[in-house]
């Protein structure tokens, strides 16, 4: 075997055992043996280079990356503005408004479970339960804030959000009517509860559109 | 783990910290933009490295002609585009272990394609089938590129050794001449 032939075989046998003819050539040829030994020395030094490298990329890379991805709308940038204790409390989430609304609705749900419908039904036959009224009021103020952040009617997404809000409002009105008429009806309460949830999600979407600058 | 490997790849490919940081950021930016296209057909690390290698190679391709021509000083032979080896000549053996600083310098003088394969295989420990996936080439091509990279590195390291020996001789002569004065 010639050195040129050996080198071709050697090149492609990387990581596997050399064929017998190539192994014989390697044993007999000083130049090819020197090449193989040098390659091994280079490889050993290269492995050490990897072990030596313990540097992490600097932290500012991740800050830039987050800002860039948020600007492109790939991720949502968490709100960093100081809105007091609530921002601090909800700082762990990317959707603080949604969490706040769900917490509010959670309190409402617990209150509904603890109330005694048969007793109250006689007194509140034609009005909503107090807890539902409180939720309705909270959602109303949340709505004022969210709708004020919607863009002019030129935005298709905002127009769609407004349309959906109208639909949910009509559904809520219907559910509230049913609950007023049958306060002891658990199914009617559930419908009202899920309608409030839908509205809270829509309002959250409206607010987040403003945060993400879309 | 991934971030360090990508950063190391970028740093050794371009040799400049600021540019390596920029490329690392770009690679992860591509990762987030394209994460939805990851189908799990290859390992995640392979996919990420493919993005990183592409980002680096794209940047290197955009470099000025002057810089490219400097990289071509690797004197590829006319037939294969790889480094030349004079068969039959008694190649000297690299003396003992390879100096890591010299190796780093030599790596920076490799053409980008060789450098990428060498970085992935000999430094980061990827197998040829993985490198073929990362580089978008055949396994045979990956082996061939690695062989050429090592051959060229060997030449550069020999050159460095010769230069060092010449400098040492020169210094000794100067010392003797100074002593005679």
């Amino acid at each position: 075997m010639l050195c040129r032939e050996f080198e071709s075989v050697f090149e492609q046998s990387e990581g596997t055992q050399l064929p017998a003819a190539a192994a014989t050539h390697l044993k007999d040829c000083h130049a090819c043996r020197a090449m193989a030994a040098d390659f091994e020395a280079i490889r050993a030094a290269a492995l050490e280079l990897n072990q030596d490298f313990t540097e992490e990329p600097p932290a500012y890379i991740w800050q830039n990356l987050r800002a860039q991805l948020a600007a492109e709308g790939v991720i949502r940038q968490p709100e960093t503005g100081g809105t007091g204790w609530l921002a601090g409390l909800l700082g762990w989430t990317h959707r603080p408004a949604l969490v706040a609304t769900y917490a509010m609705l959670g309190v409402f749900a617990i209150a509904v479970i603890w109330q005694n419908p048969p007793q109250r039904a006689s007194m509140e036959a034609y009005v909503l339960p107090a807890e539902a009224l409180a939720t309705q009021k909270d959602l109303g103020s949340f709505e004022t804030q969210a709708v004020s952040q919607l863009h002019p009617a030129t935005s298709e997404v905002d127009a769609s959000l407004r349309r959906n809000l109208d639909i949910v409002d009509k559904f809520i009105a219907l559910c509230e009517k049913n609950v007023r008429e049958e306060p002891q009806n658990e199914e009617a309460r559930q419908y009202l509860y899920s309608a409030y949830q839908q509205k809270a999600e829509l309002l959250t979407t409206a607010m987040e559109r403003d945060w993400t600058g879309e | 783990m991934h971030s360090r490997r990508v950063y190391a790849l970028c740093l050794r490919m371009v040799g400049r910290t600021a540019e390596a940081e920029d490329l690392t950021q770009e690679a992860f930016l591509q990762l987030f933009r394209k994460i939805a296209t990851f189908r799990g057909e290859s390992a995640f690390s392979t996919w990420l490295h493919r993005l990183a290698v592409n980002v680096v190679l794209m940047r290197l391709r955009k470099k000025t002609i002057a810089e490219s021509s400097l990289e071509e000083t690797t004197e590829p032979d006319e037939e294969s585009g790889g480094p030349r080896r004079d068969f039959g000549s008694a190649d000297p053996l690299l003396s003992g272990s390879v100096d890591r600083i010299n190796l780093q310098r030599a790596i920076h003088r490799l053409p980008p394609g060789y450098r990428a394969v060498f970085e992935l295989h000999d430094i980061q420990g990827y197998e040829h089938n993985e490198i073929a996936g990362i580089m978008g080439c055949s396994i045979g091509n990956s082996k061939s590129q690695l062989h050429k990279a090592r051959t060229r590195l060997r030449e550069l390291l020999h050159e460095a050794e010769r230069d060092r020996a010449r400098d040492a001789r020169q210094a000794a002569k100067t010392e003797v001449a100074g002593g005679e004065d």
Side-chain angles (χ1 to χ4, degrees), chain B:
Chain B
M1 171 69 181
H2 287 313
S3 62
R4 196 174 67 221
R5 291 184 80 170
V6 168
Y7 181 50
L9 169 84
C10 295
L11 190 57
R12 270 190 288 263
M13 285 295 286
V14 296
R16 284 179 289 275
T17 308
E19 198 172 2
E21 289 170 3
D22 189 35
L23 287 167
T24 303
Q25 188 179 314
E26 180 61 26
F28 277 92
L29 193 59
Q30 295 283 344
L31 168 79
F32 281 98
R33 281 177 186 153
K34 296 182 177 176
I35 192 80
T37 64
F38 177 61
R39 297 275 174 259
E41 288 155 354
S42 58
F44 179 77
S45 60
T46 304
W47 187 70
L48 172 59
H49 271 72
R50 184 188 302 156
L51 285 179
V53 168
N54 283 339
V55 164
V56 172
L57 291 179
M58 283 289 282
R59 175 71 62 90
L60 291 174
R61 275 186 205 121
K62 281 180 189 167
K63 288 205 166 189
T64 60
I65 295 167
E67 275 181 283
S68 301
S69 64
L70 276 178
E71 280 165 346
E72 289 308 315
T73 55
T74 50
E75 295 165 23
D77 73 10
E78 286 171 8
E79 280 178 18
S80 62
R84 184 173 50 233
R85 182 180 167 217
D86 295 326
F87 296 103
S89 63
D91 294 355
L93 199 67
L94 287 170
S95 53
S97 63
V98 172
D99 180 84
R100 272 179 276 169
I101 295 169
N102 281 342
L103 179 61
Q104 289 266 34
R105 285 188 191 137
I107 291 169
H108 289 149
R109 292 181 64 189
L110 288 176
Y114 292 179
R115 211 183 311 162
V117 174
F118 183 80
E119 165 71 31
L120 291 169
H121 189 278
D122 277 9
I123 299 181
Q124 296 211 4
Y126 279 94
E127 298 294 334
H128 283 290
N129 60 332
E130 294 172 302
I131 295 168
I134 291 170
M135 302 286 289
C137 63
S138 66
I139 293 173
N141 194 256
S142 169
K143 287 179 177 179
S144 175
Q145 293 277 306
L146 178 65
H147 184 82
K148 286 168 186 166
R150 286 176 180 163
T151 304
R152 181 60 191 146
L153 283 174
R154 186 176 178 233
E155 286 173 4
L156 292 167
L157 290 167
H158 277 302
E159 272 176 32
E161 282 205 351
R162 280 196 296 272
D163 290 347
R164 199 168 50 196
R166 193 182 56 229
D167 290 347
R169 279 198 305 274
Q170 194 70 38
K173 274 185 190 172
T174 312
E175 202 172 309
V176 169
E180 284 173 356
D181 290 342

Side-chain angles (χ1 to χ4, degrees), chain A residues 99-113:
Chain A
V99 173
T101 310
Y102 275 132
M104 186 176 72
L105 290 169
V107 170
F108 166 65
I110 291 164
V112 168
I113 289 165

Side-chain angles (χ1 to χ4, degrees), chain A residues 28-78:
Chain A
D28 297 339
C29 176
H30 172 74
C32 290
R33 217 170 39 248
M35 178 188 71
D38 281 353
F39 279 14
E40 201 43 56
I42 289 169
R43 189 175 184 171
L47 270 178
E48 285 177 14
L49 282 183
N50 193 40
Q51 287 156 8
D52 288 350
F53 193 91
T54 54
E55 252 177 277
E56 289 287 345
Y60 83 87
I61 285 183
W62 312 120
Q63 288 156 10
N64 290 352
L65 186 67
R66 175 172 280 280
Q68 174 77 22
L69 291 169
E72 291 179 15
V74 178
I75 60 162
R76 286 193 171 88
Q77 185 84 297

Side-chain angles (χ1 to χ4, degrees), chain A residues 96-137:
Chain A
L98 186 62
V99 173
T101 310
Y102 275 132
M104 186 176 72
L105 290 169
V107 170
F108 166 65
I110 291 164
V112 168
I113 289 165
W114 279 97
Q115 75 172 345
N116 188 349
Q119 286 177 350
R120 297 183 72 139
S122 57
M123 296 190 298
E124 300 172 0
Y126 293 99
V127 293
L128 284 174
E131 294 78 13
L133 285 169
T135 306
Q136 192 186 47
K137 189 181 165 196

